[in-house]
Amino acid sequence: MRASLKTINPISAISLWTFSSQLQDFSQPNPSWSPEMRKFYDHYNAQCDTDTETYENKTGPWRKLPSYNRSIKHATGGIYISKLIQAKARLFTRSVNEQGATFEYVAFFNKEEKICICLFQPGHLLEGAPGHVHGGAIATMIDTVTGTLAGYLSGPSVTANLNINYRSPVPLGSVVIIHCALDRIEGRKTFITCKVTSTDESKVYTEATVLFVSIKLGSLFG
């Protein structure tokens, strides 16, 4: 369904399941992924309601979310708008071409349970303390994944408050799971809880609460 930016409603503004042969999905497996990363990708992908290669419908509670190099490309007609507005701009987490160097991640969304999980493998260019991930990179991923969940539940939203508690440093090259869940929605406000854990969930690295506020998509364009 086509609509102008001024008439798009909050849900259709972010095309929930946009798949296009013209767009590169940066959350597909690549050679930099560790066996653990691939193992958990296969685990969740097997439970998806759409085959990510053939796009055939399946039965499953999860949906793999595509990841493009600009958020605007998720909007209806976004691939064309991207060429007109700051054409050289790139999503921060998708701005480095070297595979495995920075943010390797893939997210899955469960609409019924209103949760989102993300597999994250931090690369060597994200170092803070020696051998460990910079806290700002972890905050970036928390903001990215919780923002994705808020967008799918409430339409276009911006971060209003991000509160993080760092429990333990994340080793570079490890694989962690970012768990996000809807806490509540109050008018234009969407409250999301989040935690970052080891893949077996025995260790909690980070916990966070995030508040998002719904906006009109047109406000981003002045």
Side-chain angles (χ1 to χ4, degrees), residues 15-25 27-28 48-57 63-68 73-74 152:
S15 182
L16 298 189
W17 322 126
T18 299
F19 295 98
S20 171
S21 59
Q22 300 178 37
L23 297 177
Q24 180 180 355
D25 181 359
S27 63
Q28 293 290 87
C48 285
D49 62 0
T50 302
D51 188 294
T52 56
E53 294 183 358
T54 65
Y55 306 130
E56 294 179 354
N57 291 330
R63 182 170 288 261
K64 177 187 172 296
L65 305 180
S67 178
Y68 308 132
K73 291 183 179 180
H74 289 268
Y152 275 68

Side-chain angles (χ1 to χ4, degrees), residues 5 8-9 27 31 62 80 94 128 137 144 151-153 175 185 209 218:
L5 289 176
I8 292 174
N9 63 47
S27 63
W62 295 95
Y80 304 105
R94 298 301 187 190
T144 296
Y152 275 68
L153 295 175
V175 179
I185 296 176
T209 56

Side-chain angles (χ1 to χ4, degrees), residues 105-164:
Y105 65 96
V106 55
F108 296 87
F109 172 60
N110 187 313
K111 184 177 181 180
E112 289 187 4
E113 296 187 21
K114 296 180 174 60
I115 60 177
C116 186
I117 67 99
C118 176
L119 309 176
F120 173 41
Q121 179 183 293
H124 60 278
L125 295 184
L126 298 184
E127 186 178 64
H132 293 84
V133 184
H134 194 289
I138 296 171
T140 295
M141 284 305 304
I142 289 174
D143 188 33
T144 296
V145 184
T146 55
T148 297
L149 179 58
Y152 275 68
L153 295 175
S154 303
S157 305
V158 294
T159 310
N161 180 271
L162 176 59
N163 191 314
I164 300 178

